[in-house]
Amino acid sequence: MIVDCAIYRDGRRTEGPQDFSEALDDARAAGGFVWIGLHEPSEQEFAHVTQEFALHPLAVEDALKAHQRPKLEVYDDSLFLVLKPVVYEPESDTVSSGEVMVFLGDSFVLTVRHGEGAPLAAVRQRLEHEPQLLVKGPTAVVYAIADATVDHYLDVATELQTDLEELETEVFSPDGGGSRNTASRIYTFKRQILEFRRATVPLTLPVSRLAATGGFGTDLPFVNDKARPFFRDVSDHLARVNESVEGLDRLVSDILSAHLAQMSVRQNDDMRKISAWAAMAAIPTMIAGIYGMNFEHMPELHWTWSYPAVIVIMAALEVGLYRTFKRRGWL
C-alpha cells in the first residue's frame, strides 16, 4: 500500500502526479527527488515499483519477506538499508520491533515499512519543516530515518533502565527475592534485552559505512558527502545505545546470579533448620525407644522417680540443643 508519494525540489515539497512513475520522471527533470512510502506491500503491488525503479531482485525479496537484520547493501542502481525500529510497550513492559527498508537512488527514496512500530509520517513532517536539510537530496531522508530510529533507541534504553531498577529492588528486598515469579521476570527481561540487541548491534556497521568511519572510505554511491557529519552524529548516538544495552545485559545477568545465590542461601537455611529440628526430635525419640523395648532388667525401671527423671533429662537436652543451634544461627 502506497502511503505517500511526493516530489522535493530545493528543499521544498512540490505538487506532482500521483503516479510514482511519472513523479520520478518529473523529479529527475526538475533536479529534485521523489520520496515514496509503502506499508507492507504485496508482491503484486511491489512488482510495478521494482520495474520502474530497477530494484535488485535480492533487495526486493528482503523488502517483501522482512525479518531481516539491520544491514546496508550496495547495488548498481540503488543502496538498500534495513533498520529495525523498536517500540517499548509500558503496559506489558515488553519490547517489540518493526522493520524499515530504504532504497536510495540518484533521484528517489523508497521506504518500505513492516509493523506498526515504525511510523515515518513524523519523520516526513520534520524534514518538510527543515528545507536546509532536505536540500541535500535523498541522503537527507536516509539520515532523518536513521536519526529518528536511533534516538528512539535511547528512549527505550531509558525505559529498560527504569524496569531494571525496579527488578533490582524486588530481587534484593527482604521477601521479594523469594517469589516464584522473580526468576521468570528476570528471564523475560533478558529476552527483551536480546530483542533490543538484535536491532541495535548489527546497525553499527551500516551506520559506520554511511559516516565513513571505522576505516570505511567515502566510496558509497548515492550518498551526499556533505551528509557524512550527520551520519557520524547518528553513529555516536548508536554507540551510546550499544553501551547501554551491554550494561543492561551484564546487570541483568548479575541480578539473575544474585537471585540464584539468594535462593541457594535460603534453601541452605531451610535445610539447616530442618536438620536442627530433626536432631532435637531424635533425642526424645531415642530415649523413648530404648525404654519402650519392654525388657525386664533395665536400669531404674522400677524406680519411682524414673519417669520424671527421664522427662527432665529429655527436656534439658532439648533446651541445650536449642540454645546451641540458636547461637549458631541454625534456628
Side-chain angles (χ1 to χ4, degrees), residues 47-108:
H48 188 36
V49 179
T50 301
Q51 181 180 2
E52 193 66 36
F53 290 89
L55 304 179
H56 196 278
L58 292 178
V60 171
E61 181 182 0
D62 290 343
L64 289 173
K65 292 185 177 180
H67 303 293
Q68 303 295 318
R69 298 175 76 249
K71 62 180 180 178
L72 176 65
E73 300 286 351
V74 181
Y75 298 106
D76 294 335
D77 298 316
S78 63
L79 289 181
F80 179 60
L81 175 66
V82 179
L83 301 167
K84 291 183 74 69
V86 171
V87 174
Y88 176 82
E89 299 173 0
E91 294 80 9
S92 56
D93 293 337
T94 57
V95 172
S96 60
S97 61
E99 290 187 42
V100 173
M101 284 78 169
V102 183
F103 293 87
L104 174 64
D106 58 345
S107 300
F108 69 88

Side-chain angles (χ1 to χ4, degrees), residues 193-327:
I193 295 177
L194 178 61
E195 180 72 17
F196 197 19
R197 286 175 63 95
R198 288 173 179 167
T200 64
V201 175
L203 188 58
T204 302
L205 182 59
V207 172
S208 297
R209 293 182 65 185
L210 290 168
T213 59
F216 295 102
T218 59
D219 56 346
L220 281 179
F222 313 115
V223 177
N224 191 330
D225 290 339
K226 295 181 180 180
R228 304 288 182 180
F230 295 93
F231 285 113
R232 284 196 289 271
D233 182 66
V234 175
S235 181
D236 290 341
H237 291 177
L238 183 60
R240 288 174 51 196
V241 171
N242 285 329
E243 289 174 0
S244 299
V245 172
E246 291 177 5
L248 289 170
D249 190 50
R250 287 195 302 268
L251 282 174
V252 76
S253 297
D254 292 342
I255 289 175
L256 180 59
S257 299
H259 174 67
L260 294 176
Q262 283 183 327
M263 295 299 294
S264 178
V265 169
R266 286 192 177 95
Q267 289 175 352
N268 289 337
D269 289 341
D270 293 340
M271 288 302 300
R272 284 191 300 181
K273 291 179 181 179
I274 293 172
S275 299
W277 286 112
M280 293 173 62
I283 290 178
T285 302
M286 180 188 67
I287 295 175
I290 292 174
Y291 277 89
M293 290 188 293
N294 295 324
F295 291 126
E296 182 176 354
H297 301 287
M298 294 184 69
E300 311 299 340
L301 186 62
H302 300 288
W303 183 41
T304 304
W305 299 101
S306 295
Y307 179 77
V310 169
I311 296 298
V312 170
I313 291 172
M314 288 193 294
L317 291 174
E318 291 294 302
V319 171
L321 283 175
Y322 179 83
R323 294 183 63 182
T324 301
F325 291 144
K326 193 72 174 178
R327 185 170 58 252

Side-chain angles (χ1 to χ4, degrees), residues 115-132:
E116 299 299 328
L120 297 179
V123 176
R124 190 184 289 265
Q125 291 175 3
R126 170 198 164 192
L127 279 175
E128 290 177 356
H129 286 86
E130 297 182 10
Q132 73 279 6

